[in-house]
Amino acid sequence: MESQKSAAAGFWVAASFGAGQDVGRSCILVSIGGKNIMLDCGMHMGYNDDRRFPDFSYITQNGRLTEFLDCVIISHFHLDHCGALPYMSEMVGYDGPIYMTHPTKAICPILLEDFRKITVDKKGETNFFTSQMIKDCMKKVVPLNLHQTVQVDEELEIKAYYAGHVLGAAMVQIKVGSESVVYTGDYNMTPDRHLGAAWIDKCRPDLLISESTYATTIRDSKRCRERDFLKKVHETVERGGKVLIPVFALGRAQELCILLETFWERMNLKAPIYFSTGLTEKANHYYKLFITWTNQKIRKTFVQRNMFEFKHIKAFDRSYADNPGPMVVFATPGMLHAGQSLLIFKKWAGNEKNMVIMPGYCVQGTVGHKILNGQKKLEMEGRATLDVKLQVEYMSFSAHADAKGIMQLIRMAEPRNMLLVHGEAKKMEFLKDKIEQEFSISCYMPANGETTSIVTNPSVPVDISLNLLKREMALGGPLPDAKRPRTMHGTLIMKDNSLRLVSPEQALKELGLSEHQLRFTCRVQLHDPHSDNDTLGRIYTHLKSVLKTYSIQHVPDGTVIVESIVIKVTSSAEEPNLKVILLSWSYQDEELGSFLSTLLKKGLPS
Amino acid sequence: EAIPQTRRADGPITHWQCSQRRNRQIRYKDLHVFQLEHPTKVIEWTGDKNICVAGYTGSRSEILELLLPLKLYAGENQGLCAERDFKVQHGGFSEEPIESLIHISGTRCVVTSGSSSSTLQIWDIGGDDSDVIKRTGVINLKSTSVKGCKIAPGLTDEPAVLHGSCISEVQLTEIATGRVLYTVAKESSDSVSGLQFVNACVFLICASDGTLFMGDTRDPSTCHYPLEDSKSGLHWAFGLRSDSSQSEPSGCTVARLSSSGHMLLSDLRNLQSPFCQTQLNVQHDASKNDFLNVSWAPVLDRCLSVSGFDGTVHIYNTINWSTEGQSPQPVFSHRGHEMSDEAKYSGSPPVVTTHSWHQSRPKTILSVATDGSLHVWDWVDKITDR
């Protein structure tokens, strides 16, 4: 890795060192055009020890990463994509830019802090990042807008595209010169109520890196999942029970509210629905953030409603939790690890008529995680145990791309190569075949820690000077054809990121150099009993018979000229039969000159 | 105030479900709706929790082995089970649209027939080490049939397949060797609508005109039982109900269904005279003959299902059927395929291409339609499941 930070035009390397299975972590390293980029920096939620962090020794054995990375890009706020970010930037050490969208920048620190609290306070771990580290890390963040090209440095540029999946999730295009790669992060191709589908233009990247965790699933329809959700809620309130839905502030919560509101209206239900106030404030803030971040296309699909325009949904007061009778409550935080939702849970857990619906994944150590694993007795503060008698339901609404979605994305972007992360290679051969056959591109599926090299065929644009062009034209021959290579001579000037092909004379002039002519001279001794002139004549005849295609002249002033090579014959008065043949040639005719001197050393035919 | 959304909460299914709820009628115990990338006209069980489907609409078709959503099997812990999706476990490519697909019990072998080649294709679905379904061989046929050759698995220990597109071409071929084990010695050019083994030796063939042929691989002759009054222009399909895969004829009933909804039930001991005839209340459309399907429920007594006329699957209880009675009412009708979004926006409503009962769960059915929809549903009998 360290040695690869030099220019490597034409091919580059992607190293994936973190992709697991269902609950994996994403952390991908790409080396392109001499630049090194880290894509996502996730935490593996399944491990409790150092295995949960990505192994940064792949980059360098000794500490700080700043000089080895040109930038870090985070696709969205899920912990398996950003959970190790403060560890990487503050504990391992990285001071360069970290790019992410505005909503991701706003939401990341909250989730990271929550996560830190659970890990350190609840599980008592010590080798973990602190609150201050999270703050310091976020100071390095440079926010991205959709479809806006950002120059990381003179050669590296990045652009964010809408990914769907969750609020603020982006797919990123990374471009260095004429080579580019697109990383999808997590995305989905079917629109949600509050999120649109992922979209990208026909940017034809050299490589498209896509997650493939759900590539082998056929997902049941959203309507079905919603119907199931409504059925469960309805059944519970019908029997007089209470439903608790722990949520994170914005996104899914609003969608579920709309769903319930419509259902309540249709079915003429009377049980109250509450939304906790802490949620509302945050929700309105994110709402504004979201609206300014998305483009027109997304705004149309997003339901433009204020939280409190619901007829059936009211603000929650903590005293309501003790009210008799059925009700539905949305409360934070989402994993039941603290706050409002945990308080309500404690009150309602003992009654089997009640229900808690967990709408997402819960981190190990949280009450949410424990009850989803079927635990019926929970240890609370002060050694008190809580009996979990209420019904526990897990309903995931988060959307990922399935095989059909991946094919759709490939059709949209038209990459030259494909790389799938997150799946098990053995179980992905069918998808690899499918992609390769349908699009005639190569599909790679590296294992955790494996490096993949992609060979690209970059076109190198070179400007050619008019003079040189004219000169070439004057030489004649067939007309230029874009499909046929044509050899030409010129001088390539590489300056300020541009490449120009000019005539040597022009190059010399531009560079302020004077032209030097190189001439070689060589003396060949020969015994010949003729006069100097006759010897020259014999040389002329000999050369004419050997060099049939060259222009040979016998000039009256006593020289033989072969191309630019000049041949003279002299002898001394003392030894008139010992001839000295003087050959002189310019650098351009070096080969021919050498040939002639070797030839004449052999002597003349009699 | 109009809600600007592309997907509405009160979409067809939810609306329909809500209206049922209001009438205090719970129709489904479970309903899962999926969308395949390409529609299939085959559903074949390859295991307790696995099915094979295959494309028929493109020149190149995918064969997929799918694992049913584990949530269906989670029992009491259903609530905690997040797995509600189908998983593609194995996949392969066929060079032709697939008309029929059968699984050879006890093996990982499936055989397909398509609409453009004169061979049957033999495939190995594969195990844990690879997810690619590989073609391992072919069986040469005498001719090509646009409707595809009809095929049925042999029930002997040595894997074999019974196949034919017309009666005179029906033969039993051993898969491993290609050896012809049996040929039907009948000079009939009638096209085959379906065929099936009753036990290791006895088999039934149903011709498109409704004539039944019964044969025994130990006996060169076959008996045939034409319909009493055969109306031309009708296409017939059949469904065999047997107690087990090694039944004696005494335990078997055959249902024959015509494209006009005429239904005949016969006892295998007396195929000459059906013990029940009735007319179902369905619409006849000759263009959909391809998808006509009548199946007996494997667990419920004398319960059969019918599809292929339109986007519905009808379930009937035949216990109270009589020849003189009026058109029987289905105990349940699944209209899900007609109610989908895709159906709403497309020009022609989808037609159910095939359906299949779950082997052990009494009321679970899988159905697929021309729009690629795949439904898994568990229905409630209004009368018996209170």
Side-chain angles (χ1 to χ4, degrees), chain A residues 193 216-221 223-225 227-228 231 234 238 259 262-263 266-267 300-301 303 309 371-372 374 392-394 404 426-430 433-434 437, chain B residues 1 4-5 7-10 15 17-18 21 24 29 31-37 60 62 64 66 79-80 82 84-88 91-93 129 131-132 341:
Chain A
R193 256 169 241 287
T216 51
T217 60
I218 296 174
R219 216 160 157 77
D220 79 338
S221 77
R223 293 278 158 66
C224 261
R225 275 175 274 144
R227 182 188 49 83
D228 261 6
K231 182 174 163 195
H234 188 209
E238 286 271 277
L259 209 52
T262 320
F263 188 68
R266 216 169 252 301
M267 303 291 283
K300 270 190 256 171
T301 59
V303 179
E309 272 175 41
I371 60 173
L372 282 176
V392 180
E393 293 281 334
Y394 177 34
K404 184 170 161 193
K426 274 190 300 200
K427 306 274 171 73
M428 306 289 296
E429 226 189 292
F430 173 60
D433 283 349
K434 195 169 143 130
Q437 284 172 34
Chain B
E1 177 200 294
Q5 334 178 34
R7 300 271 174 176
R8 291 165 57 85
D10 51 347
H15 180 108
Q17 284 299 290
C18 285
R21 279 187 181 286
R24 286 288 176 237
K29 192 160 146 275
L31 169 63
H32 296 267
V33 171
F34 301 87
Q35 191 66 30
L36 294 171
E37 209 179 329
R60 273 187 90 241
E62 282 177 13
L64 304 173
L66 307 175
L80 299 176
R84 26 183 329 136
D85 304 325
F86 268 96
K87 286 235 186 335
V88 178
F93 298 100
D129 55 340
D131 72 334
V132 178
D341 257 0

Side-chain angles (χ1 to χ4, degrees), chain A residues 6 158 345 477 523:
Chain A
S6 52
I158 61 177
F345 176 77
R523 285 181 165 78

